[in-house]
Amino acid sequence: MTEETTPTPKDATPDAAKSGTQVPSPAETPRPIQLPAPAAEPVKQETVKAAMPALGVETGEESRRMRPEARPHAFVVMPFGKKKGSDGTLYDFNAIYKTLILPALEDAGFDPFRADEETTSGDILTDMFQELLLADLCLCDLSIDNANVYYELGIRHAFRKRGVVHIQAGRAYMPFDIFNVRTLPYHITPEGVPDPAFIKTDIQAISRMTRDTWASDRDAIHSPIFNLLTGLKEPERKALRTPLATGFWREYNEWKEKVTIAQRQKRIGDILLLTEEIQNPLIKEEAIGEAGKALANMGRNELALVQYRKGLEVNAENLAFRHEEAFHLNRLGRVDEAIVKIENLLKDFPNDIDAISLLGRVYKEMWTSSWKHINDKTKRLKSAFDSYHWLIKSADIYLKGFHHDLNNYYPGVNALTLSTIALYLADKFDDKKNPDPDITHIRQKIAEVYGALAIGLEEKAEDDNADYWTLISLAELRVLTAENVSSVIRAYRKALTVSRRNLFFLNSSLEQLEMLDALGLRNEFVKVGIHTIKEEIARSGVDENQQTSIKKSASKKAKNSGRAFLFTGYMVDYPGKEKKTFPADKENEIRKEILDKLESFNLNPNDRAFVGGLSAGSEILFVEICVEKGVKVRVYLPLPESAYIRQFVSPGGDVWVDRFYKIRNHPLVEELYQIENVGQPKMGDDPYERNNRWALYSSLGRGMDKVTLIALWNEHDDKPKDRDAHLVHHMIELMRDTGGSIEQISTSKYMHRIINNVLDSLMNDEAHTINKTPLAPGQKAHKRRK
């Protein structure tokens, strides 16, 4: 918080020396040192900042990265403005922050923030508390005895056991309460600004200390309170959150609103772009969880997996992300990786019911995959029995989870269901004289499992607040044990009243019943359950054909769908264009090359096209070709239409403007505007590069293996300065970074022809001039060498 006055204790000891004097470590007991007299002219902040690059010091103004990245969040606790210490020494804390602390934290890889940088409305005090409680690291400047600074430091020490760095300038002592806390000294001039003679080493020291603090053991304790009170437990970060901090959470709330719309409209690119752009790691962690869930609900398990792994980079201890990583690995058929992830999870948390249940599900799916594709019922049942070792393993794992928590009915119902199936198959195929000991064990235990489930579920189902999974578990229990179908129907209908027609819930329950139906187990009861759920799905507005489509796996859907073509290419050359890349008279040749490239992939109406613009030149050509072939195109525009036409279409001439409007109005073309759909770019982000990312991410809807970037590009043009050429190069680098396929159409041959034609023309003109020059008597004409 901003302080108007600074309290000065009467018994304060004089501060240590400033410029040119090595400040002793807090452990030492230095003698007071005479301060030098103030300089005639104060050293301005601008002077210090200007000197920093010459000293090899980063100023925080770094080049833009290919993609935004989340960095650990550092909250800076310090006074604001110019303040005096107890001995009258001046400190310019704004200059200290901007020229010392800010570059040091950025060099250490942090995203720094100070309370006075909050530009949005809200309760500043509440937002400040959220920063103190939730920031990954707090850096506290203890140079003067400032009440607000010590109050904020006390809050951090009381609620968080780690992630605190203390610095100070000039102090020869530290207050008694924190005298034993390591505090890093830095140097200032008599004018209170960072000393140019020491600024490089001071920045390096602060940067190194923050890195070391952040990289220390996750169990390391930096708070003297937690060091003293060994039994004190740090609260969960979620328990420290408050919705009253409207400014702190505004970024997340705005993100969630946009992503909800994108999810409903199935715009994957919007979700990926908006989630990538969140800067605050605390908010990003929450957003990644929501984005992963949204992508999973859209059937994009591979994209959800990427999100959850990014979430683990932000917080490696997020248990939900570890669960989701394993879940999506299994969904993608990477079973061994999934099992290893779950087993490692269970080493850390042996009683984690969700992890145990997930492992049971993996083995269950290994078993079902061995027989569900077989059409002949007899062979299907025999194959299910022959691989029942996976079935028994899955049942045992679910049973273990149920024993850990008898109030968690999901693993219990699955254990009972799989045990019932195992006995059903054994009665058909097992050796009656020499039965499998595992089957015998199941026969002995199944009644006990049923009894525990029946008592618990029936009691909990009577609660008016019973949730869907409790009620559907009771319905599944009825399918396995009921004596009349009406009790099954009633149980399912009661569960459906709290399902809120959530298709994920309904499909999950339907999948369980269809597994039993495929095996012919308790057909009459299973079929009424299936019929009841399908009726509810129909009432939700999804007909049976749509439902069949929804239930198909993402891999089958991708196999039957077409490709996705992303395009980038140069604008047509026009007067005043800085770099010539697309000769106007070569339009037909370039058009043919684009067409040939697309036809080499057998372009057809099942394919989809994506392009980050509709500029005069190759982008309009590409879209024209696509619509001629009946392919739908999505065009992503970085600017409102009028501004875009003025900058990217009009320079090519009126003919290109007419073509822009004609192709934009085509029924197969959908144009999306950046500000309208994903909002304004973040400060420092280039809207045109952002548009490239948006178009690329949007093309991933059918899977990375289905995407091809077609690029009209001169490969010799490395890191061009011209905007048009730069954006083409940027898209190519993005695609390379993503790991996608690139098909190039080079323009270098056209440019070489033009250069050769110009040279030939000049040579011919010169030769013509020589030939026309009158020769002196007796002079011979000589052929000029090239």
Side-chain angles (χ1 to χ4, degrees), residues 616-674:
S618 61
E619 289 176 343
I620 287 181
L621 282 178
F622 173 78
V623 179
E624 287 175 341
I625 293 168
C626 288
V627 298
E628 286 171 9
K629 295 291 183 178
V631 174
K632 291 183 179 178
V633 186
R634 273 191 174 176
V635 178
Y636 298 84
L637 298 171
L639 302 172
E641 185 178 89
S642 59
Y644 185 81
I645 292 173
R646 184 168 60 253
Q647 290 196 40
F648 292 94
V649 187
S650 293
D654 291 342
V655 172
W656 286 101
V657 175
D658 291 340
R659 290 169 73 173
F660 172 90
Y661 282 118
K662 182 179 179 181
I663 199 65
R664 185 210 64 178
N665 292 328
H666 197 284
L668 290 177
V669 176
E670 178 186 9
E671 75 273 17
L672 299 167
Y673 294 92
Q674 187 179 126

Side-chain angles (χ1 to χ4, degrees), residues 81 200 213 230 237 331 487 586 605 632 641 695 723 771 777:
K200 181 176 181 179
T213 301
T230 54
R237 284 210 297 188
R331 271 283 185 257
S487 63
K586 301 300 178 185
K632 291 183 179 178
E641 185 178 89
R723 182 176 65 184
N771 291 334

